[in-house]
Amino acid sequence: MAKKFKFELQDILDFRNLEKEEAEGELAKALAVETQINDNLKIIAAQFVNLKNTAASFTDFEDIAATENRKRLLEYQKDELLKQLAEANIVTEEKRAVLAEIMKKTTALEKLKEKQQAAYNEKLNKEENDMIDDLATGRYLK
């Protein structure tokens, strides 16, 4: 019976696949942070629209002043979220770059494994064909 194919770098490939899974998880977390910030920005935008619509009917000075204070607070929150979003974008791009590098290394190992597997299969087929030829020509029988 023929010896089973064993990829000598399988442990490294397994490690690279584990690294890839971890990097994908880290990228997913970074994207989730970006999504949360964008959701918060949408909430603030909706609050701005609501504030603008309700402020149009105010005639009392205290209501108008409170509206202006609320607008300033929303502006400040928006600016802070935009800063956070810029930082989150940087983190996401870093995570994306790490994942791309790991995927490149993993893909190289997978291609090497496929080539070695194909060479092994070709060798097995040749040995099998040689054995069949030997049996057919009677050289195998002694």
Side-chain angles (χ1 to χ4, degrees):
M1 175 138 186
K3 187 173 140 184
K4 185 178 171 188
F5 173 74
K6 181 175 180 342
F7 182 53
E8 293 175 4
L9 301 174
Q10 187 62 47
D11 291 340
I12 296 171
L13 180 58
D14 292 342
F15 176 74
R16 294 276 189 235
N17 283 326
L18 182 64
E19 274 185 324
K20 185 172 88 172
E21 288 175 18
E22 289 174 358
E24 288 170 341
E26 290 296 317
L27 177 58
K29 287 178 190 175
L31 290 171
V33 168
E34 279 189 42
T35 301
Q36 182 62 44
I37 293 169
N38 281 319
D39 290 346
N40 289 342
L41 283 168
K42 288 176 186 174
I43 291 169
I44 288 176
Q47 289 175 350
F48 253 119
V49 169
N50 188 29
L51 188 63
K52 183 179 177 185
N53 290 338
T54 58
S57 63
F58 291 153
T59 55
D60 183 36
F61 177 75
E62 287 182 18
D63 290 338
I64 294 171
T67 300
E68 287 304 312
N69 286 338
R70 181 74 180 139
K71 280 183 185 177
R72 280 194 291 278
L73 175 63
L74 290 174
E75 273 295 327
Y76 174 78
Q77 289 174 337
K78 179 189 79 166
D79 291 343
E80 288 301 308
L81 285 172
L82 288 173
K83 288 177 192 174
Q84 290 174 18
L85 183 59
E87 291 170 5
N89 283 333
I90 291 169
V91 169
T92 299
E93 288 310 311
E94 289 171 353
K95 302 291 183 188
R96 209 173 253 128
V98 167
L99 178 59
E101 185 63 30
I102 290 170
M103 287 179 72
K104 198 165 43 171
K105 291 177 182 177
T106 303
T107 302
L109 281 173
E110 287 171 346
K111 285 182 181 179
L112 178 61
K113 180 180 180 179
E114 288 172 9
K115 285 181 183 178
Q116 288 182 4
Q117 178 78 50
Y120 175 81
N121 289 341
E122 189 175 308
K123 180 182 172 191
L124 265 181
N125 287 338
K126 183 180 179 331
E127 289 174 0
E128 188 177 295
N129 287 337
D130 288 348
M131 186 186 306
I132 291 171
D133 287 346
D134 288 345
L135 287 172
T137 59
R139 285 185 275 167
Y140 201 66
L141 301 173
K142 289 189 177 180

